[in-house]
Amino acid sequence: MTRVVGAAVLAAVLLVVSTALGIWWTARQDSHPSSDAIVVLGSAQYNGVPSSIFEARLEHARDLYEDGVAPVIVTVGGKAAGDQFTEAEAGRDYLAGAGVPEEALLAVPEGEDTLESMRAVGAAFTERGWSDAVLVTDPWHAMRAERMAEDAGMEAESSPTRQGPAVQTRDTQFRYILRETAAYLLYRVTGESVAGAPGIG
């Protein structure tokens, strides 16, 4: 019995460590394949103004668009109770104000967390005959976002942001990796999402 318990504990530890390393490794990658659309994962917005985390994602998506990675930027995310704007609308309006043509913007104003948002984007892709996406989110969120996008029927790679609060300090990075490790494992086991730090539910 002791050996069985010990083996189970060791297996659990190895699973957690390997997942954390996978999150760290994915965070260090930056893919720019030619794609159907750049998908910006939503984050907090305040009366239509993107938070600093969200703004960093939007600016990175605009850079990718200007580099010719994809002809369309998709912003995604619903709204909290009492909000007047969805994350998707706030993101679209920010990018339009930054000079991205309206015909190159698509808002998908659905989803209270990453899983719901990816399912909504997957449906939008299917309607338009799209398949390939470059996901823009925080580095530590990239691996889970890729998995959820693929489960929603997309061929997804990620180009994480390198600016913003999520990457400011080593302490912040460590906390995000721990949180994402738990969230990723929960998703793989249950198929459900979990609320985490702002914008990474």
Side-chain angles (χ1 to χ4, degrees):
M1 178 62 80
T2 301
R3 289 182 178 178
V4 171
V5 172
V9 170
L10 178 60
V13 170
L14 290 175
L15 178 61
V16 170
V17 171
S18 63
T19 300
L21 287 174
I23 289 168
W24 175 83
W25 174 254
T26 304
R28 295 175 64 85
Q29 309 310 305
D30 189 6
S31 298
H32 297 176
S34 178
S35 301
D36 294 307
I38 299 158
V39 179
V40 187
L41 276 293
S43 188
Q45 57 81 29
Y46 306 104
N47 198 29
V49 179
S51 63
S52 56
I53 290 176
F54 197 10
E55 183 178 1
R57 298 179 187 181
L58 293 165
E59 285 293 329
H60 186 58
R62 182 165 67 100
D63 290 342
L64 294 176
Y65 170 79
E66 291 177 349
D67 287 343
V69 171
V72 177
I73 300 177
V74 178
T75 55
V76 61
K79 61 182 178 181
D83 283 353
Q84 292 184 324
F85 298 87
T86 64
E87 294 170 356
E89 291 166 341
R92 177 199 61 201
D93 293 348
Y94 178 92
L95 289 169
V100 179
E102 289 188 10
E103 61 270 20
L105 296 170
L106 172 65
V108 180
E110 300 176 47
E112 295 183 359
D113 57 33
T114 304
L115 182 57
E116 289 183 4
S117 293
M118 285 294 91
R119 288 172 175 169
V121 172
F125 266 54
T126 298
E127 290 174 4
R128 292 163 176 78
W130 297 346
S131 58
D132 300 322
V134 172
L135 308 180
V136 176
T137 187
D138 299 330
W140 326 114
H141 188 212
M143 189 168 92
R144 184 160 59 100
E146 282 185 22
R147 170 62 63 176
M148 290 179 173
E150 290 167 359
D151 289 347
M154 292 174 275
E155 296 292 332
E157 296 187 56
S158 59
S159 180
T161 57
R162 303 298 173 191
Q163 304 294 325
V167 294
Q168 282 183 346
T169 67
R170 290 190 181 276
D171 180 62
T172 300
Q173 295 173 25
F174 180 70
R175 286 189 287 107
Y176 269 74
I177 290 173
L178 286 181
R179 185 172 293 170
E180 273 299 321
T181 298
Y184 183 86
L185 290 173
L186 178 67
Y187 173 68
R188 293 306 305 273
V189 171
T190 68
E192 299 296 331
S193 189
V194 61
I200 64 167

